[in-house]
């Protein structure tokens, strides 16, 4: 997906075509026959353009251009200089708005005046295209050149979801399921956005030429192309809301921007579907993904040029678990009802309030404070867009004698967002709502309604905990009334909330031995499991006083950490004052209101009408720049070395952590200058009447949420607070000198920055330290003559990207692949057909007219540094990070100092300071090299882990937070670097650091080398009868030599595990279906060399054991494992299920915890081991032998008997057969004789009877004859 620069503009190409006498048809390879055919088409009055739907006006205009040999650029009056300037705009990092001094945040927003102005400009552009007269007068014509105002501003011609200037055309493409939805019901629609920098990119749905959305809005004609182009992607909010901002991301075909909702049933990829938990996308097609299961809040960065030399544009990729689908595919909030009207009384003259959330974890932010309304502002894009939601809470009033609330109000005072739960406080009641995040909780635990918690308590304040720890998030509720002096400490784990009343034994008041006290603020230090409480003590005799009290959650120990002075110290003429107790004080009382703690640099601030700073929580420094007449309302910490202060009068102050200067940003002279310049640029982000709603940091930049009223119309906008520009303007206003030279005055400015150039050099590749995994995913090639991306091609591409991210999140292979890349198994069986698919694509015969290049989906391991320190640094045991800083010094930078004797050495006047938050854990070495001929200094900085502050932990878990701060002495607030995005502060570099096992490292079973080494040592290898490529077998009687790999999923490194480990059989069974887990007692009996119950499964000849010594310690140099399967082991006397030898599946656990001192990583690997050829028990073997022998002997006896008695039996059988035959013959003779005699007698009898009958008949007839005459 890398951005493809166009190289030369359309006008330049057309000019070269005319100059060298060749046409575009020849360039495209048109034959003479094709040219003649085109001429015939033109003669007959029709053209290919008309066939494709071109209008008659467009056809005539194109014909006129071809006849006259001129181009659209020439018609608009572009000179050669302008054409060259257009080409320069295509280079990375340039835009028309930036050249005019307007940053991305200063682009005009839609409004009545801007609409009118855009309409006028569009009218002028269309009039100029027709050759007509605009409002500014007729354009001058000279020959075939049409002179118009340079660089006309033209608006997009197709319908857009939001009227935003400089927007590319959008083709809406909903997903097959209707939307891309999260596991909570939030919805969105994916849209394809074209890259207007590439003329071959055409966008469906845009009937007119597409305008560049990034370079200033000049119109460029689209040319027909057979080659596919690049497209961008925009995510439309649920319901297609009109206030959703859209943005073109050049060079990035499909990048989730505002809300990416991932669900496996939405888009079908080329395999089993599953939901990735989150993703990042960075660079032109680079998709960096956290190696661990990421948070629901994630960042996506897009480098439009793909080079990386400029800062990336960052976007949010969040999941909103507080939306659900209703009937008709309409989204609805589960926390309440959405309101669509922003009433001015909600914001005008309403005090600003802090934005509280879990840093880098919360996908959804909420903000309360709307007077007399139980409504909040809710956003999942850091207020790029937002929703006003009326909460569905009961708003009960539970007043009693122990809850001294004077009156009832519907206002939501405190609102805190965690990773999956929202907390609010209304009056004395606390509610929470759990979002539906199936990918996070692995089950649907979303709330159906708001849940009231601590119902019997009177809560006066909620205090946030900005960072998660040990897989949990935290929140604190301060009580009043009957439980005054206690803190309700809430823990959120896997979407479940639990509260504990602290201290456990006695209240804070009793612990510090006072009668009346009240807790004003609470801070949780997760690294030390300790609470810091700001306690107000009311003493009738001494008055009010404040103390900082420490409470240890593990030991339940309570102690006073610091007593705050009663009055402001008197430190006139100083920048800061170290409070030692011996200084003098004024009569102005100190009134503390809260505290702020940065876990990275271990810095604590106590604030009120003063500002105290401490590096060790015991010794404090008073900062004098902040006036005692003001009172701080809240602090905003970036946790990257910068902090903003908001006072009760809505003033904004700025502080660099590690320095002692506090700068006033608003109101100030610098602010007035900046606002005046913005009004000159007609910026829509400023208005005469405005109210600040909140102040917050995002990506180390300070932002305001402001309610503006302009022309009696109010709106909420998010705008950048340009801290660097404001400080520069203030310096210019205070650091100038008027000197008289000759007869006139000259103005000169004094620059307080001690250097002119500061560069970072020799930076190592960042991935090994930032621990971000990156993928390249380019879009498929569309085999269409139009070059349009269709719904099918976009669906295919989305499915590929989602499936890639799912492969990443689900990639866990105990058996190491030859290439530990999730994409390797994706394409490994189709690589052999790569050329065939390419041949089909070359002939436009690919299925679905989409061609997917397998090489376009790969993991990136060779990312280079971008001349800046990484976002974060992870250090394993003994690891180091080394880089250099190049400084060009202002003026004379060297001085000579005498040493012993007559030798001298040069010393730089420029000093570099390095502050470590935990110097007992991190070692820093700075080496200086003087470059005299260049008037520069080169500092080499090396940071190393001391191997002293961490034990062992799972990869990416239980890391120790620390930081490094590099300061060029005298540069704080004075040194700035001009960039194309505006000034950037230099001289202070703060980088968070994490000590422990870095994310993305894992232990894997090296099956390839294990098979090779076992075959070499045992001189043979016998696999199972039924071969399984994924799980090879090992023979029972052979010595087993296991080997393991340490795979770095971020850098791609893979090496043999050289440390020590413990191997245990923790489960097993004769088949895969009968594998069962063993209990702790069974695991000890089956694996411990101390076992005396004849239950061992295996043994080794190594003599090294653990400290107890319960188990054997193995390494890559071990002598191997011998399988035993003793009498009481589960694999003993395994019954074979066939004629082959018995088999057994062992579930093996390998761990280096407590036995390997070479790393902080606690590696644990569980895998199945298939062993065949197990022996039978002696009893069963003897039984089988006896039965087999008996059967054999019986068969032999039968055979012998058969062989010996066979002749006798044959003779007896012959005699018996002879007798039987004789008997049969005699019987047959007698039977035949008797039958003949019977037959003859019967015949004689029948003849006699017949004769008798005949004689009787004759006699009767004679009698009848004699009787007739009578």
């Amino acid at each position: 997906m890398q951005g493809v620069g166009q190289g030369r503009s359309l006008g330049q190409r057309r000019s070269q075509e005319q100059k060298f006498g060749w046409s575009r048809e020849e360039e495209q390879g048109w034959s003479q026959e094709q040219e003649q055919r085109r001429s015939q088409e033109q003669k007959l009055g029709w053209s290919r353009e008309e066939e494709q739907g071109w209008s008659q006006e467009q056809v005539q205009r194109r014909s006129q251009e071809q006849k006259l040999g001129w181009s659209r650029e020439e018609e608009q009056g572009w000179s050669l200089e302008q054409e060259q300037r257009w080409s320069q705009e295509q280079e990375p990092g340039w835009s028309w708005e930036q050249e005019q001094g307007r940053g991305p945040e200063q682009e005009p927003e839609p409004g009545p005046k801007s609409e009118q102005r855009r309409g006028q400009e569009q009218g002028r552009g269309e009039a100029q295209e027709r050759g007509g007269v605009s409002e500014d007068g007729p354009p001058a014509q000279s020959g075939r050149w049409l002179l118009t105002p340079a660089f006309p501003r033209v608006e997009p011609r197709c319908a857009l979801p939001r009227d935003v200037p400089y927007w590319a055309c959008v083709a809406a493409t909903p997903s097959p399921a209707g939307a891309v939805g999260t596991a909570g019901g939030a919805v969105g629609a994916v849209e394809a956005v074209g890259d207007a920098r590439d003329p071959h990119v055409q966008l469906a749905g845009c009937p007119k030429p597409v305008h560049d959305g990034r370079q200033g809005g000049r119109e460029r004609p689209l040319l027909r192309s057979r080659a596919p182009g690049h497209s961008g992607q925009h995510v439309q909010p649920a319901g297609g809301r009109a206030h959703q901002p859209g943005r073109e991301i050049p060079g990035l075909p499909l990048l989730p921007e505002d809300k990416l909702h991932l669900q496996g049933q939405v888009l079908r990829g080329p395999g089993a579907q599953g939901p990735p938990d989150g993703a990042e996308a960075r660079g032109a097609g680079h998709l960096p993904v956290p190696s661990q299961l990421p948070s629901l809040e994630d960042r996506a960065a897009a480098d439009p040029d793909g080079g990386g030399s400029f800062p990336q544009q960052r976007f949010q990729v969040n999941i909103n678990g507080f939306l659900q689908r209703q009937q008709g595919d309409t989204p609805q909030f589960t926390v309440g009802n959405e309101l669509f009207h922003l009433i001015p009384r909600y914001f005008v003259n309403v005090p600003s309030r802090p934005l509280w959330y879990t840093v880098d974890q919360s996908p959804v932010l909420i903000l309360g404070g709307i007077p007399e309304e139980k409504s909040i502002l809710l956003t999942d894009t850091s207020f790029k867009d937002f929703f006003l939601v009326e909460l569905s809470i009961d708003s009960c009033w539970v007043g009693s004698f122990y809850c001294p609330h004077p009156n009832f109000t519907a206002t939501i005072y405190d609102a805190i967002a965690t990773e999956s739960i929202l907390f609010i406080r209304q009056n004395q009641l606390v509610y929470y709502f759990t979002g539906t995040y199936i990918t996070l909780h692995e089950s649907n635990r979303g709330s159906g309604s708001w849940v009231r918690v601590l119902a019997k308590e009177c809560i006066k304040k909620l205090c946030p905990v900005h960072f998660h720890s040990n897989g949990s998030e935290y929140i604190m509720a301060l009580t009043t009334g009957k439980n005054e002096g206690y803190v309700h400490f809430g823990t959120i784990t896997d979407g479940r909330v639990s509260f504990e009343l602290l201290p456990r034994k006695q209240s804070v008041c009793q612990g510090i031995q006072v009668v009346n006290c009240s807790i004003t603020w609470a801070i949780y230090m997760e690294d030390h499991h300790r609470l810091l409480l700001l306690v107000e003590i009311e003493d009738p005799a001494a008055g009010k006083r404040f103390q900082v009290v420490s409470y240890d959650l593990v030991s339940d120990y309570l102690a006073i950490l610091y007593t705050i002075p009663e009055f402001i110290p008197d430190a006139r003429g100083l920048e800061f004052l170290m409070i030692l107790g011996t200084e003098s004080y004024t009569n102005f009382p100190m009134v503390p209101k809260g505290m702020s703690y940065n876990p990275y640099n271990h810095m604590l601030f106590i604030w009120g009408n003063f500002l105290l700073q401490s590096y060790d929580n015991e010794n404090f420094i008073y900062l004098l720049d902040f006036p005692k007449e003001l009172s701080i309302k809240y602090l905003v910490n970036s946790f990257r070395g910068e902090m903003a202060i908001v006072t009760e009068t809505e003033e904004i102050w700025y502080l660099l952590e590690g320095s002692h200067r506090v700068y006033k940003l608003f109101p100030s002279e610098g602010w007035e200058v900046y606002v005046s310049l913005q009004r000159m640029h007609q910026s829509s982000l400023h208005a005469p009447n405005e109210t600040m709603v909140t102040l917050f940091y995002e990506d180390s930049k300070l932002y305001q949420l402001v309610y503006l009223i302009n022309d009696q119309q109010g709106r909420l906008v998010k705008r950048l607070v340009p801290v660097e520009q404001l400080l520069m303007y203030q310096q210019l206003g205070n650091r100038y000198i008027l000197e008289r030279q000759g007869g006139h005055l000259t103005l000169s400015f004094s620059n307080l920055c001690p250097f002119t150039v500061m560069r970072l050099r020799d930076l190592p590749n960042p991935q090994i330290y930032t621990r971000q995994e990156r993928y390249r995913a380019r879009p498929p090639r569309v085999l269409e003559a139009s070059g349009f991306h269709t719904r099918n091609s976009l669906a295919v591409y989305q499915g590929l990207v989602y499936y890639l991210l799912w492969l990443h999140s689900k990639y866990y292979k105990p058996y190491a692949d030859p290439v530990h890349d999730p994409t390797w198994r994706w394409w490994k069986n189709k690589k052999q057909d790569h050329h065939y698919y390419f041949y089909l694509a070359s002939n436009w015969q690919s299925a679905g007219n989409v061609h997917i290049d397998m090489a376009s989906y790969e993991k990136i391991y060779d990312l280079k540094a971008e001349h800046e320190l990484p976002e974060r640094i992870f250090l394993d045991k003994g690891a180091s990070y080394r880089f250099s800083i190049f400084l060009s010094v202002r003026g004379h930078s060297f001085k000579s100092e005498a040493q012993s004797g007559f030798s001298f050495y040069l010393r730089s006047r420029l000093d570099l300071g390095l502050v470590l938050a935990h110097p007992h854990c991190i070692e820093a070495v700075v080496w200086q090299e003087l470059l005299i001929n260049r008037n520069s200094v080169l500092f080499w900085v090396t940071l190393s882990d001391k191997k002293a502050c961490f034990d062992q932990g799972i990869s990416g878990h239980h890391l120790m937070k620390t930081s490094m701060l590099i300061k060029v002495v005298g540069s704080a607030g004075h040194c700035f670097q001009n960039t194309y995005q505006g000034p950037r502060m230099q001289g202070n570099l703060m980088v968070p650091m994490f000590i422990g096992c870095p994310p993305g490292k894992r232990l894997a079973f090296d099956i390839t080398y294990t098979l090779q080494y076992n075959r070499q040592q045992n001189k043979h290898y016998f696999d199972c009868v039924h071969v399984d490529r994924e799980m090879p077998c090992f023979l029972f009687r052979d010595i087993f030599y296991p080997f393991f790999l340490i795979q770095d999923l971020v850098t791609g490194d893979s090496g043999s595990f050289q440390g020590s480990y413990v191997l245990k059989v923790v489960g097993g069974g004769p088949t895969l279906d009968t594998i069962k887990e063993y209990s702790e007692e069974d695991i000890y009996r089956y694996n411990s060399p101390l076992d005396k119950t004849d239950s061992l499964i295996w043994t080794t000849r190594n003599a090294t054991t653990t400290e107890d010594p319960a188990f054997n310690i193995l390494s890559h140099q071990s002598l191997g494992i011998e399988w035993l399967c003793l009498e009481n082991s589960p694999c003993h006397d395994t019954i074979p299920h066939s004629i082959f030898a018995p088999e057994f599946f062992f579930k093996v656990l390998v761990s280096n915890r407590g036995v390997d001192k070479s790393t902080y990583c606690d590696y644990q690997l569980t895998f199945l081991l298939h062993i065949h050829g197990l022996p039978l028990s002696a009893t069963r073997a003897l039984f089988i032998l006896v039965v087999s022998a008996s059967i054999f002997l019986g068969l032999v006896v039968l055979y012998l008997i058969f062989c010996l008695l066979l002749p006798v039996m044959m003779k007896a059988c012959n005699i018996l057969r002879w007798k039987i035959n004789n008997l049969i013959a005699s019987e047959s003779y007698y039977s035949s004789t008797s039958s003949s005699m019977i037959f003859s007698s019967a015949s004689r009898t029948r003849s006699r009877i017949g004769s008798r009958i005949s004689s009787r008949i004759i006699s009767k007839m004679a009698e009848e004859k004699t009787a007739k005459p009578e």
Side-chain angles (χ1 to χ4, degrees), residues 861-897:
Y861 298 113
D862 57 350
L863 189 70
K864 303 300 180 183
E866 299 178 353
H867 304 289
E868 62 181 5
L869 292 176
E871 186 177 357
R872 62 185 67 88
I873 296 176
F874 289 86
L875 291 181
D876 197 357
K877 194 170 189 177
S880 61
Y881 182 83
R882 189 171 187 264
F883 64 99
S884 62
I885 302 176
F886 176 82
L887 296 172
S888 293
V889 190
R890 190 180 305 278
H892 300 285
S893 60
F894 304 105
K895 63 180 180 179
S896 60
E897 295 183 358

Side-chain angles (χ1 to χ4, degrees), residues 750-767:
S750 60
N751 196 329
L752 300 181
C753 184
F755 57 85
T756 58
V757 177
M758 178 178 179
R759 295 192 183 98
L760 299 177
R761 294 182 173 180
D762 305 298
L763 294 168
N765 291 345
Q767 285 181 283

Side-chain angles (χ1 to χ4, degrees), residues 783-902:
L783 306 178
E784 293 286 349
S786 62
F788 291 161
H789 267 285
T790 64
R791 174 173 179 172
N792 292 335
S793 64
L794 290 177
V796 168
Y797 184 51
Q798 292 179 62
L800 291 173
V801 173
Y802 294 163
Y803 187 66
L804 172 64
L805 299 178
W806 180 77
L807 285 175
H808 162 81
S809 63
K810 298 298 181 182
Y811 180 72
Y812 178 76
K813 294 285 295 180
Y815 283 60
D817 283 336
V819 180
H820 55 280
D821 184 341
T823 63
W824 178 75
R825 286 181 173 270
W826 194 359
W827 306 111
K828 69 182 183 69
N829 295 328
K830 296 183 180 180
K831 285 289 186 180
Q832 58 185 0
D833 303 326
H834 172 72
H835 298 290
Y836 170 71
Y837 292 124
F838 179 76
Y839 170 78
L840 292 179
S842 301
N843 292 274
W844 290 33
Q845 298 296 325
S846 296
N849 291 330
V850 174
H851 171 63
I852 301 172
D853 187 6
M854 304 175 195
S856 298
Y857 296 83
E858 59 183 353
K859 204 168 185 178
I860 301 173
Y861 298 113
D862 57 350
L863 189 70
K864 303 300 180 183
E866 299 178 353
H867 304 289
E868 62 181 5
L869 292 176
E871 186 177 357
R872 62 185 67 88
I873 296 176
F874 289 86
L875 291 181
D876 197 357
K877 194 170 189 177
S880 61
Y881 182 83
R882 189 171 187 264
F883 64 99
S884 62
I885 302 176
F886 176 82
L887 296 172
S888 293
V889 190
R890 190 180 305 278
H892 300 285
S893 60
F894 304 105
K895 63 180 180 179
S896 60
E897 295 183 358
Q899 287 183 335
S900 60
F902 299 96

Side-chain angles (χ1 to χ4, degrees), residues 1189-1211:
S1190 301
I1191 295 174
F1192 177 75
L1193 291 176
L1195 293 175
V1196 170
V1197 169
L1198 291 176
Y1199 176 76
L1200 293 176
I1201 293 174
F1202 179 77
C1203 292
L1204 294 176
L1205 297 179
L1206 181 61
V1208 178
M1209 292 176 63
M1210 290 296 294
K1211 185 177 180 180

